[in-house]
Amino acid sequence: MYRIVKKELLVPNTIYLQAEAPEIARKAQPGQFVIMRVDEVGERFPLSLAGWDEKAGTLDVIFLIMGRSTMKLASLSEGDCIMDIVGPLGKATEIESYGNVLCACSTFGVGPAIPLAKALRERGNRVISVMEARDEGFLFWEDRLKEVSDETHIASGDGCRGKHRRASEFITEHLKSGHKLDRVFAYGRVFMMMECSRATRPFGVKTTVALTPVMVDGTGMCGCCRVSVGGETQFTCVDGPEFDGHSVDWEVLIKRKRAYLREEAQAYDLWQPDNLRKIAGLAGLPERSSAV
Amino acid sequence: MNDKPKLNLERVPIPKQAPEERATNFDEVALGYREEQALQEAGRCIDCKKPGCKDGCPVNVDIPGFIRAMKDGDMPGAVRILKSKNSLPGICGRVCPQETQCELTCNLIKKGAPIAIGRLERYVADWEIAHPEAVERGGQEARRNGRRVAVVGSGPAGLTCASDLAKLGYGVTLFEALHVAGGVLMYGIPEFRLPKTIVQGEVDYVKSLGVEIRLNHVIGKIATVDELLEQGFDAVFLSPGAGAPMFLDIPGENLSGVYSANEFLTRTNLMKAYLFPEYDTPIQVGRRVAVFGAGNVAMDASRCALRLGADEVYIIYRRSLTEMPARLEERENAEEEGIIFRLQTNPIRLVGDEQGRVRAVELYETELGEPDESGRRRPVRKPGSEFTIEIDTAIPALGTRPNPIIPLSTKGLELTRWGTVLTDEATGRTSKDRVWCGGDMATGAATVISAMGAARRAAIDIDAWLKGSG
């Protein structure tokens, strides 16, 4: 059992959790993820690591409420326990001295972007961070991102903070205006990562994306999380989760992520009526969103 | 004392759920002998002077000994004899391929049906569960000798090595990647062939020997093998299992509705998807299911699909019945339940719809040519034999490749060209000092009992080596 130390509703539908997992905290590296199972009947699902504290023995995650499992996780309070946390899984990000690096992030991707930007900067890179949000009300952790970046920009769907509405627009303009980028990282929803990859492709800037397909064991044993990258089948859990965004077959990824939408809805609808009390505290509850 | 038994050449049949009934539930298929049936079958054993059965057992169970105890009415004695060599009799009695091992070397086979050793083993193990006070279970913790061994993976090999070493006084920590112990016994083999309460019971027995089980520990990630050795373990036994499933390598393999057998079985058995939505993990089966391959795992997957509600389940196999790798008993069970065998048939591609869901498979028929390097006749495409069947689910059950996590994270661990860990068969030693290996990671996919045999040999060698090293 893994105790929840801190919990916060960051913005509507977006939850931050800090949980005790000292052994994982000791080994975690940027780019890695954990698999959780909330309770005895729960499913296993992956969440990117948004941070860890070796001394305190804790790890951080940020997640969106998408269905029954994430709703269950969101309904736990500080002091409650998560039944299972496995990790750190997946390959760590290759932190090298690239030069000018841009980290684009949105929603749950803001979490893992912070340890990434920090590590990149410690390695001597110049880090430009671009946070994408639907509107002003969905911005969070801007201060934390600033702390680990040389430059921080906001791309907001409502245009509240400058002219760029999407991270990909920022990238395109940045490159078009003659700035040099040596590497781009994009963490967040599939569409956003896909758009960022499209933006960098004409300029030949290698773009790393972190994929979050459906997973079961997370250790390479079942192949549920397979994706097509450069025509090869890869297992996200052991070969990834980071891949070259220019080689990912996005269509396969999106279709596989949508495979269980019907079951998700069914499970959620059955769970929710009995648990309204637990979730009453969560402001801005979601209209159920697609898994992408 | 017993009278000298007459030579009886017919074995007592084991009661089973009727095929039409069992095809709709996940309860155990074989119901096990009742007392009189077990004693009748035990009574067929002639207790020969030179028993062949023992030599056929990879862990050398004293088979004549436990059957003798049964005949003498000493069930606690039968349990003790059995468990002195095999910590997992309830499992082995159910899933061992006895027909190629102990029962094949039973002397009665020269005249008629060999003793049903597996069924008797199961009877004894189940008797112990039903009579928990009859045999001292707890308090068996051996006196600690102060040395510590890490065992990686809690499948059949890991459980065996851990219990053997614990009985010898070692402090054993068993690391398991999943949220329950048991490995393939839990995620792979279905409930109707091996009830999970039986596995849990045998895992609890291993715990009662003083073995510490640490779940949710992926060795190679949370700690490397080298770190385990640095952290004070005197030796490490690697039994992480076979790992990565193979796919068909044909177009369409990444469509939704295409599950590796590992995934299909893991969702069903470990995650209890057959109880969805009571359990959270879903599974999609649809009306028609095609399982590719014809080993025991293919039989398990096809029979699960049937129980999950499929109307038609096909086993698609490129060779013929003669070459089929599944146990005869499992094949017969599958046939009785209505699994459709499409033999000498091979897939060309999987066809999907706009949502990316599998909808059909294109196949061709084969003819069998000359034997290939595996000794089995090579399937050759029959010209003009192409045809298509509509399916909702495709399940490749083609075996596994070694999981890369441990090889990639362990310094100085030599691998074979198949990616398995190079291991001395007699001792389980690897190329790395203080590291042993057994089970599928050493041999490639094999049986529960062969993994247990390898683990037993490694435990003996670890003990000898650690004693020698002072």
Side-chain angles (χ1 to χ4, degrees):
Chain A
M1 301 290 270
Y2 303 79
R3 203 167 63 90
I4 296 171
V5 184
K6 239 188 248 171
K7 177 191 166 184
E8 199 183 322
L9 179 71
L10 294 171
V11 294
N13 201 29
T14 308
I15 311 278
Y16 161 73
L17 280 187
Q18 185 173 73
E20 281 174 355
E23 286 175 277
I24 301 173
R26 204 154 47 225
K27 295 287 289 196
Q29 293 175 71
Q32 291 189 298
F33 66 93
V34 290
I35 290 252
M36 288 194 185
R37 194 175 73 116
V38 178
D39 58 29
E40 194 51 54
V41 300
E43 65 183 333
R44 297 168 65 98
F45 58 95
L47 293 177
S48 302
L49 283 172
W52 50 90
D53 184 334
E54 197 186 327
K55 269 200 200 128
T58 56
L59 52 82
D60 306 323
V61 291
I62 294 177
F63 62 96
L64 301 182
I65 302 171
M66 309 284 282
R68 176 150 80 175
S69 294
T70 41
M71 180 57 91
K72 271 184 175 176
L73 185 59
S75 72
L76 298 180
S77 309
E78 290 177 2
D80 289 347
C81 285
I82 299 163
M83 186 155 251
D84 298 294
I85 304 182
V86 197
L89 298 172
K91 288 183 181 165
T93 310
E94 290 165 21
I95 305 288
E96 281 167 32
S97 176
Y98 300 108
N100 290 311
V101 181
L102 186 142
C103 298
C105 56
S106 71
T107 74
F108 58 87
V110 174
I114 285 168
L116 169 75
K118 187 165 174 260
L120 284 167
R121 217 155 156 228
E122 281 167 5
R123 195 63 209 274
N125 293 286
R126 184 179 148 71
V127 176
I128 303 170
S129 292
V130 182
M131 194 196 310
E132 178 181 307
R134 188 187 298 187
D135 58 47
E136 180 126 47
F138 283 84
L139 286 171
F140 64 91
W141 283 17
E142 194 182 338
D143 50 338
R144 295 200 191 191
L145 200 57
K146 271 187 176 152
E147 227 170 79
V148 293
S149 312
D150 293 283
E151 249 178 64
T152 305
H153 300 268
I154 304 294
S156 167
D158 64 351
C160 68
R161 300 279 295 274
K163 58 181 175 169
H164 303 107
R165 294 181 180 242
R166 298 200 163 275
S168 53
E169 283 175 26
F170 179 93
I171 293 170
T172 301
E173 197 166 302
H174 192 74
L175 289 167
K176 267 192 178 159
S177 62
H179 292 96
K180 193 170 160 285
L181 287 178
D182 300 293
R183 177 67 77 110
V184 169
F185 289 85
Y187 287 179
R189 289 200 159 216
V190 171
F191 184 74
M192 173 265 189
M193 294 192 289
M194 190 170 78
E195 289 296 300
C196 288
S197 303
R198 272 191 195 145
T200 55
R201 186 192 281 270
F203 301 92
V205 180
K206 188 162 178 187
T207 300
T208 302
V209 295
L211 305 186
T212 53
V214 180
M215 273 187 200
V216 185
D217 70 288
T219 65
M221 188 265 281
C222 82
C224 174
C225 65
R226 62 196 189 278
V227 288
S228 178
V229 181
E232 300 265 319
T233 294
Q234 304 263 299
F235 290 2
T236 304
C237 65
V238 288
D239 302 322
E242 297 189 347
F243 294 103
D244 173 15
H246 298 151
S247 307
V248 169
D249 185 330
W250 297 98
E251 194 186 327
V252 167
L253 177 73
I254 290 168
K255 285 181 173 168
R256 286 187 66 82
K257 273 177 82 87
R258 286 184 175 154
Y260 291 100
L261 284 188
R262 208 185 48 198
E263 286 82 0
E264 272 291 320
Q266 188 192 353
Y268 181 91
D269 290 347
L270 281 169
W271 184 84
Q272 197 201 26
D274 293 335
N275 294 278
L276 284 174
R277 201 178 289 269
K278 285 190 208 158
I279 57 183
L282 303 172
L285 272 189
E287 66 288 18
R288 190 166 38 252
S289 39
S290 85
V292 177
Chain B
M1 288 300 287
N2 289 310
D3 297 330
K4 191 173 166 58
K6 286 184 201 117
L7 212 54
N8 178 348
L9 297 173
E10 296 283 328
R11 53 167 61 176
V12 178
I14 194 162
K16 286 183 186 181
Q17 280 197 73
E20 58 278 12
E21 192 182 315
R22 71 188 192 230
T24 62
N25 69 52
F26 273 86
D27 300 337
E28 194 167 14
V29 168
L31 302 171
Y33 280 149
R34 292 188 302 273
E35 185 181 358
E36 69 277 12
Q37 292 170 315
L39 292 178
Q40 194 188 335
E41 182 62 24
R44 292 178 58 225
C45 177
I46 53 173
D47 204 358
C48 30
K49 283 208 184 68
K50 284 186 186 165
C53 51
K54 246 174 116 164
D55 302 332
C57 175
V59 296
N60 297 109
V61 167
D62 178 7
I63 295 164
F66 92 74
I67 294 181
R68 206 178 303 126
M70 283 179 78
K71 289 198 281 192
D72 291 345
D74 177 15
M75 286 304 293
V79 173
R80 271 191 299 272
I81 293 168
L82 189 51
K83 288 195 122 173
S84 70
K85 283 289 168 66
N86 185 347
S87 297
L88 316 171
I91 294 166
C92 290
R94 288 172 167 84
V95 303
C96 264
Q98 291 96 7
E99 66 279 6
T100 61
Q101 297 176 159
C102 54
E103 293 177 10
L104 186 67
T105 51
C106 167
N107 286 329
L108 275 188
I109 205 167
K110 294 165 199 157
K111 304 224 161 123
I115 301 296
I117 297 166
R119 295 170 184 180
L120 294 179
E121 180 180 28
R122 171 186 166 169
Y123 177 79
V124 174
D126 289 358
W127 185 91
E128 192 201 0
I129 295 168
H131 301 83
E133 332 70 38
V135 188
E136 189 72 26
R137 267 190 84 122
Q140 295 171 5
E141 226 172 292
R143 227 156 59 88
R144 291 275 161 263
N145 63 15
R147 326 264 339 229
R148 295 170 68 212
V149 180
V151 175
V152 179
S154 67
L159 289 172
T160 302
C161 188
S163 63
D164 281 8
L165 289 171
K167 284 176 187 167
L168 291 167
Y170 291 89
V172 181
T173 306
L174 183 49
F175 294 98
E176 168 55 49
L178 293 170
H179 56 264
V180 293
V184 72
L185 306 168
M186 276 297 191
Y187 75 74
I189 303 176
E191 177 78 19
F192 56 82
R193 210 149 71 77
L194 179 63
K196 301 309 146 211
T197 50
I198 300 286
V199 182
Q200 194 54 56
E202 314 225 279
V203 169
D204 289 344
Y205 167 72
V206 173
K207 270 195 219 167
S208 78
L209 299 170
V211 172
E212 184 199 359
I213 300 184
R214 311 206 59 192
L215 303 172
N216 295 334
H217 275 66
V218 182
I219 297 306
K221 293 292 181 186
I222 199 161
T224 62
V225 172
D226 293 284
E227 283 164 341
L228 293 177
L229 292 168
E230 286 158 22
Q231 283 163 18
F233 287 103
D234 298 293
V236 176
F237 177 69
L238 299 173
S239 50
M246 291 198 275
F247 286 87
L248 292 156
D249 206 13
I250 57 172
E253 69 178 5
N254 291 335
L255 291 165
S256 302
V258 183
Y259 293 95
S260 74
N262 267 9
E263 182 187 352
F264 193 79
L265 291 171
T266 300
R267 282 181 182 269
T268 309
N269 302 318
L270 178 72
M271 305 311 295
K272 304 220 184 302
Y274 62 94
L275 298 174
F276 178 87
E278 190 189 323
Y279 278 70
D280 292 352
T281 305
I283 197 161
Q284 292 168 341
V285 178
R287 284 190 52 235
R288 293 183 181 198
V289 178
V291 178
F292 300 92
N296 289 323
V297 173
M299 299 302 138
D300 284 348
S302 66
R303 296 170 71 197
C304 280
L306 199 69
R307 284 161 172 78
L308 285 160
D311 295 333
E312 284 173 24
V313 182
Y314 303 100
I315 291 268
I316 297 187
Y317 181 49
R318 59 198 182 132
R319 292 184 162 105
S320 74
L321 223 48
T322 326
E323 292 85 13
M324 196 178 278
R327 288 180 72 190
L328 180 64
E329 185 186 338
E330 298 311 321
R331 194 180 90 205
E332 285 173 353
N333 279 334
E335 272 172 332
E336 278 174 18
E337 288 166 16
I339 304 293
I340 302 157
F341 287 78
R342 299 299 299 252
L343 304 175
Q344 289 184 247
T345 305
N346 214 14
I348 303 163
R349 66 186 193 109
L350 295 159
V351 185
D353 60 18
E354 302 94 73
Q355 278 81 47
R357 284 205 58 85
V358 68
R359 283 292 163 237
V361 57
E362 290 176 16
L363 302 151
Y364 64 82
E365 290 174 14
T366 70
E367 287 167 322
L368 295 184
E370 293 301 306
D372 61 14
E373 64 273 23
S374 76
R376 296 175 299 179
R377 294 178 66 193
R378 199 164 61 87
V380 184
R381 187 168 179 159
K382 197 195 276 183
S385 66
E386 293 76 14
F387 66 107
T388 299
I389 56 175
E390 284 179 22
I391 55 169
D392 303 298
T393 303
I395 307 174
L398 306 166
T400 55
R401 272 191 278 260
N403 187 299
I405 292 179
I406 286 178
L408 285 177
S409 62
T410 310
K411 278 177 244 146
L413 192 63
E414 228 177 291
L415 305 180
T416 67
R417 65 191 167 106
W418 299 280
T420 51
V421 173
L422 184 67
T423 304
D424 176 57
E425 208 191 317
T427 61
R429 285 190 198 185
T430 69
S431 59
K432 189 175 171 68
D433 201 27
R434 297 195 284 151
V435 178
W436 282 255
C437 182
D440 284 0
M441 192 63 187
T443 57
T447 60
V448 167
I449 190 70
S450 66
M452 290 172 61
R456 158 85 24 96
R457 294 192 294 277
I460 292 168
D461 195 63
I462 291 169
D463 179 47
W465 192 87
L466 286 179
K467 278 182 179 146
S469 72

